[in-house]
Structure formats: C-alpha cells, structure tokens
C-alpha cells in the first residue's frame, strides 16, 4: 500500500509493471474495497490522468517491444485506467463518493484526455471511453462542466469520426452515445447548434426502427430533449422523418419506447403550433395510451394532448373526434396511480382545452363539473397541484357565464 500511495513519474517501474499495478488497483476497487478506493482516488488520480497524456502514451508506444512497450501495451494501459475510473459510477457502494470523484476528474480534464486517447484504441475498445464520458455527463454536480468539455473537445465530431451511431455497433455503445447526446440536449439549449451541426439525423432515422427496444426508446428520449427548450429542431426533425417515426413509436410493443415516444411528440407540440398538422395522426394513439399500464406513459400522453392545444385550436376538433376529452376526464376520475402524476397532468391538459369554447361546450355536456369540483377541495386530495389545476378548470368553465 505504501508503494502504491507513493508512485510517481519518477518511480522505477516499466510499462508492464505499471499495468500489473493498475490491474491490482482495478480488481481491489471492483471487489468493493471502499477504503482502498478512497485512498487511490485521493492520492493517485492526478498520476493516472497524467498517464493518459500524449507525451506519456507516445513514450510507451515507442518503448521497445522486448521491454514491454508498443501499441498493445499503450492500449491496455488506457483501457485499465478507464476501467478504474468507470467503477465508482457503476457500483452502488461508491454512490456517496461519486460527486467528489467527478470534481477531481473535471479538474484533471478527463473528458479531453479520454477523447484524445480514443485514437490509441482499437474499434472494439472505444466503448469503454464513451461509457465513462456518458457517466460523467450524467453526474449531478459537474454535468454541465463535463458537457461543455465534451463539446469543446470536439466530442460530437468524434462520434461521427468513429461512426459510434452506426446501427451495426453493439447496443451498449449505441445506447451510451445516444444517452450522451440526449443529456447534452437536456442540459442546455446552448448545445443545440452543435448537435445540429453534427448532422446525425440519418443515423437517428435508422436507429429509431432498430430491433433493440432500448435503442428505439433512447432515440425517442433524445427527440424529446431536442424539443425541450425551444422549437429549434422542429422543422429539422420533420424534414428527416423523425416526427412521423416518433408518432409510429407510440404504438411500439415496448413499454419504454411508448413512454418516451409520448414525451417526444408532446415536446414537439410545446413551443409553437408549427408541427400541429403533422402531429394530427398521433391524437388517437395518445388517447389509447391514456389507458396504458405504465403510469409514466399515461402521464406523458396526457401532457402531450394538452400541448397539442397549448398554442392554437388547430387540433381541437381532432381531440374531440377521437375521444380525448372523455378519456382525460376518465384519467382524473379513475386513474389508479400509484402517484397523482397522471391525474395532475390530465387536469392541467383539460385546463388547456377549456381555453376554447368548442371544448368547454363538449366538456359541459359530459358533466365535467361533477367530476372536477370534488378535486378543488383538499378533503378529496392532499395534492396542492391537483387542487390548483382543478380550480383553474372551473375558472375557465365559468368564462361563458361571465360573458353572458
């Protein structure tokens, strides 16, 4: 242990000896030696990161083969270090240490180092680097900092360079890459232009019909996040057939794909009504999904229908025609939860519909007040948002009485 804690660039240790030491460190941390891990990351993180710099890697690459150097040794060194850095993000026992480790890795420019190190790896070994970057961009404390480092380090260009979204790649690599781009889109609209310039639309069009359901779900989630902050991507997604593809995913046999497809089409109608006409075929599918077994899917479907009338009444007749108003009321009256989320979102969407006289008229014929009014009382529900949204509906319904 004393030797490990005092290893430095001046230590008399050859490449193969260093890799054996790294393998020992990896195995100890992998076997949940928490105290050991804490000491390694505290004392050796800077050294491990420095070993991934070009000057070190080139030296090992040029080291005589008969003395343990060369291309394969360089690759093994990088892979072992990346595996060590990945462990805390993959094992629950290290959850409390993740933020501190992330902060240390951010200071050491690990994103830049990893992106640069990919050129030393074989195609089969690249996923280990992408997995680490994906985990870091998802880390709570430093996610935006890592995301900025990834974009500034030409990470999106590297995705194209190594064809990481090629449909023939391993599902794990594709999912990690999609998750990474999706998180960029989720974090900030500032990354939208960079994502657009990476021109991954054709790859997404292929992946949204991939035989692996986890990939289809991730593409839908990405589309939803591309539409999260602004309507920047609306017409671009339409042009490449990704809006119609997301609509089709609302009838996917996979529950996660349906859930994220609802999220995608809902956000596609949030910022303006540019896509309303193209979203029309989705209305009957969303009405059906209000009865889905998955609670989050019911909530997403309810939210999407509310977004479809958020910016204009262009789709009101379609929502009436396909029974959306009645089904939203049924969610309010009968949804079994377990949480209040579907009911809460259905109430908000009904409030959006009640902006329009034609919808208010339909609702009144359905005796909407008898269903909604009990939820304006805290005795019926302990959810303050349910009470608030129910009261909002009654207020809008009363607009016609005030105008008479």
């Amino acid at each position: 242990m004393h030797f490990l804690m005092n290893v430095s660039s001046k230590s008399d240790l050859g490449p193969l000896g260093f890799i054996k030491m790294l393998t020992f460190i990896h195995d100890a941390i992998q076997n949940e030696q928490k105290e050991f891990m804490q000491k390694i990351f505290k004392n050796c993180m800077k050294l491990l990161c420095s070993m991934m710099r070009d000057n070190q890697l080139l030296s090992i690459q040029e080291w005589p083969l008969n003395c343990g150097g060369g291309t394969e040794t360089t690759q093994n060194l990088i892979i072992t270090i990346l595996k060590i850095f990945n462990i805390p993000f993959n094992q629950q026992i290290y959850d409390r240490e993740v933020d501190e480790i992330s902060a240390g890795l951010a200071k050491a420019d690990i994103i830049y180092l990893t992106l640069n190190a990919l050129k030393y790896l074989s195609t089969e070994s690249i996923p280990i680097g992408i997995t680490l970057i994906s985990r870091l961009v998802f880390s709570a404390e430093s996610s935006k900092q890592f995301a900025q480092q990834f974009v500034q380090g030409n990470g999106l260009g590297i995705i194209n360079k190594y064809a990481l979204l090629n449909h023939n790649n391993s599902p794990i690599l594709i999912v990690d890459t999609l998750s990474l781009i999706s998180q960029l889109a989720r974090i900030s609209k500032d990354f939208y232009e960079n994502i657009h310039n990476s021109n991954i639309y054709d790859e997404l069009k292929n992946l949204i019909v991939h035989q692996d359901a986890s990939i289809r779900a991730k593409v839908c989630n990405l589309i939803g996040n591309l539409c999260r902050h602004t309507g920047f991507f609306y017409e671009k997604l339409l042009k490449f057939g990704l809006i119609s593809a997301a609509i089709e995913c609302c009838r996917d046999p996979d529950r996660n794909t349906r859930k994220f497809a609802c999220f995608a089409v809902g956000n596609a109608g949030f910022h303006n009504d540019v896509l309303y006409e193209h979203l029309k075929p989705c209305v009957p599918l969303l009405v059906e999904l209000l009865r889905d077994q998955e609670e989050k899917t019911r909530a997403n479907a309810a939210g999407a229908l509310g977004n479809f009338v958020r910016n204009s009444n262009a789709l009101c007749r379609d929502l009436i025609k396909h029974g959306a108003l009645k089904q939203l009321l049924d969610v309010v009256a009968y949804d079994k939860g377990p949480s209040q989320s579907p009911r809460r979102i259905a109430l908000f969407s009904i409030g959006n519909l009640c902006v329009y006289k034609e919808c208010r008229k339909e609702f009144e014929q359905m005796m909407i007040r008898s269903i909604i009014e009990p939820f304006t009382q805290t005795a019926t529900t302990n959810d303050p948002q349910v009470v608030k949204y129910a009261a909002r509906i009654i207020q809008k319904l009363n607009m016609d009485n005030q105008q008479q």
Side-chain angles (χ1 to χ4, degrees):
M1 177 66 81
H2 178 76
F3 174 75
L4 287 174
M5 295 302 111
N6 290 279
V7 169
S8 72
S9 57
K10 296 178 181 178
S11 299
D12 188 13
L13 199 61
L16 290 180
F18 190 71
I19 290 174
K20 286 180 179 177
M21 183 190 74
L22 290 176
T23 303
F24 171 79
I25 291 171
H26 171 273
D27 292 347
I29 298 173
Q30 183 80 37
N31 291 322
E32 301 187 350
Q33 299 293 324
K34 193 169 184 178
E35 186 180 346
F36 177 77
M37 183 277 290
Q38 289 168 333
K39 288 181 179 178
I40 287 292
F41 275 89
K42 182 178 179 181
N43 295 283
C44 302
M45 184 188 291
K46 192 177 287 186
L47 170 67
L48 294 178
C49 289
S50 71
M51 290 302 298
M52 289 177 62
R53 297 194 180 279
D54 270 333
N55 60 335
Q56 295 284 1
L57 296 174
L58 288 170
S59 295
I60 295 169
Q61 206 169 41
E62 293 166 5
W63 199 285
L65 281 172
N66 59 356
C67 296
T71 303
E72 189 175 341
T73 302
T74 306
Q75 178 170 259
N76 289 338
L77 175 78
I78 296 166
I79 290 170
T80 311
I81 292 173
L82 292 175
K83 281 183 175 179
I84 291 170
F85 287 159
N86 262 300
I87 293 171
F89 300 95
N90 295 329
Q91 293 187 207
Q92 214 169 5
I93 190 173
Y94 299 126
D95 281 355
R96 290 186 179 180
E97 284 75 26
V98 161
D99 286 340
E100 187 179 348
I101 291 168
S102 295
L105 290 171
K107 287 179 185 175
D109 292 334
I110 190 61
I111 297 287
Y112 297 128
L113 293 173
T114 304
L115 288 170
N116 183 61
L118 295 180
K119 67 190 179 190
Y120 296 95
L121 300 181
S122 65
T123 305
E124 295 74 25
S125 302
I126 285 174
I128 187 72
I130 299 303
T131 297
L132 176 62
I133 293 171
S134 182
R135 299 293 181 274
L136 289 169
V137 172
F138 268 91
S139 66
E141 291 293 322
S142 308
S143 60
K144 187 157 189 181
Q145 185 179 0
F146 286 128
Q148 287 169 335
Q149 289 179 1
F150 178 77
V151 172
Q152 290 165 4
N154 192 35
L156 290 163
I158 285 171
I159 287 173
N160 281 329
K161 179 180 177 181
Y162 295 106
L164 300 183
L165 291 177
N166 185 292
H167 70 281
N168 291 320
N169 289 340
S170 73
I172 292 173
L173 174 58
I174 295 172
V175 166
D176 277 343
T177 306
L178 288 170
S179 298
L180 179 53
I181 301 168
S182 190
Q183 184 69 352
L184 293 180
R186 185 177 183 276
I187 288 170
S188 175
K189 64 181 180 181
D190 296 341
F191 300 125
Y192 276 6
E193 190 78 42
N194 301 95
I195 295 171
H196 167 63
N197 289 337
S198 68
N199 196 25
I200 57 172
Y201 300 105
D202 287 333
E203 287 87 345
L204 297 182
K205 187 73 186 293
N206 288 328
L207 294 175
I208 202 169
V209 293
H210 198 282
Q211 63 182 9
D212 190 297
S214 64
I215 292 173
R216 299 196 301 274
K218 279 295 178 186
V219 177
C220 290
N221 190 26
L222 170 55
I223 291 171
N225 282 324
L226 291 176
C227 299
R228 183 185 182 90
H229 301 288
T230 73
F232 175 87
F233 279 102
Y234 279 4
E235 296 189 60
K236 299 168 180 65
L237 293 169
L238 180 66
K239 176 183 174 184
F240 285 91
L242 286 162
I243 296 300
S244 59
I247 291 171
E248 191 59 32
C249 284
C250 288
R251 60 169 111 241
D252 197 279
D254 175 65
R255 62 197 297 179
N256 277 332
T257 303
R258 293 195 303 273
K259 176 176 69 179
F260 287 118
C262 291
F263 170 63
V265 297
N267 280 3
F270 183 81
H271 300 288
N272 57 54
D273 64 356
V274 166
L275 296 179
Y276 276 11
E277 188 63 30
H278 305 280
L279 291 167
K280 191 183 288 188
C282 198
V283 172
L285 303 179
L286 290 170
V287 173
E288 183 63 31
L289 289 171
L290 290 173
R291 293 188 282 264
D292 196 86
Q293 289 185 334
E294 179 84 19
E295 180 189 46
K296 185 64 174 172
T297 301
R298 298 196 302 275
N300 285 354
L305 289 167
N307 287 348
F308 284 7
V309 293
R310 187 175 185 271
N311 301 291
S312 80
N313 68 343
L315 293 179
C316 280
R317 287 185 182 180
D318 290 275
L319 266 72
I320 293 168
K321 174 185 172 184
H322 292 290
L325 281 63
K326 172 69 167 65
Q327 198 58 45
L328 284 166
L329 278 178
D330 283 353
V331 171
V332 173
Y334 307 118
D335 194 84
K336 300 298 183 184
S339 81
Q340 291 285 316
S341 181
R343 176 173 289 113
R344 189 186 306 128
I345 295 172
L347 284 165
F348 190 83
S349 292
I350 291 169
N352 286 358
L353 283 155
C354 285
V355 168
Y356 305 106
K357 189 168 185 176
E358 58 200 295
C359 294
R360 294 197 297 273
K361 182 180 176 183
E362 290 287 332
F363 275 132
E364 292 285 19
Q365 290 173 358
M366 296 174 192
M367 309 298 289
I368 183 175
R369 292 172 190 267
S370 65
I371 296 171
I372 300 301
E373 281 178 346
F375 289 101
T376 63
Q377 309 298 318
T378 52
T380 307
T381 175
N382 58 3
D383 188 317
Q385 282 189 299
V386 166
V387 174
K388 178 183 174 182
Y389 295 157
R392 173 175 172 253
I393 292 169
I394 299 300
Q395 184 183 21
K396 290 184 186 299
L397 290 171
N398 290 336
M399 285 167 55
D400 294 325
N401 296 334
Q402 294 166 2
Q403 290 168 4
Q404 291 175 358

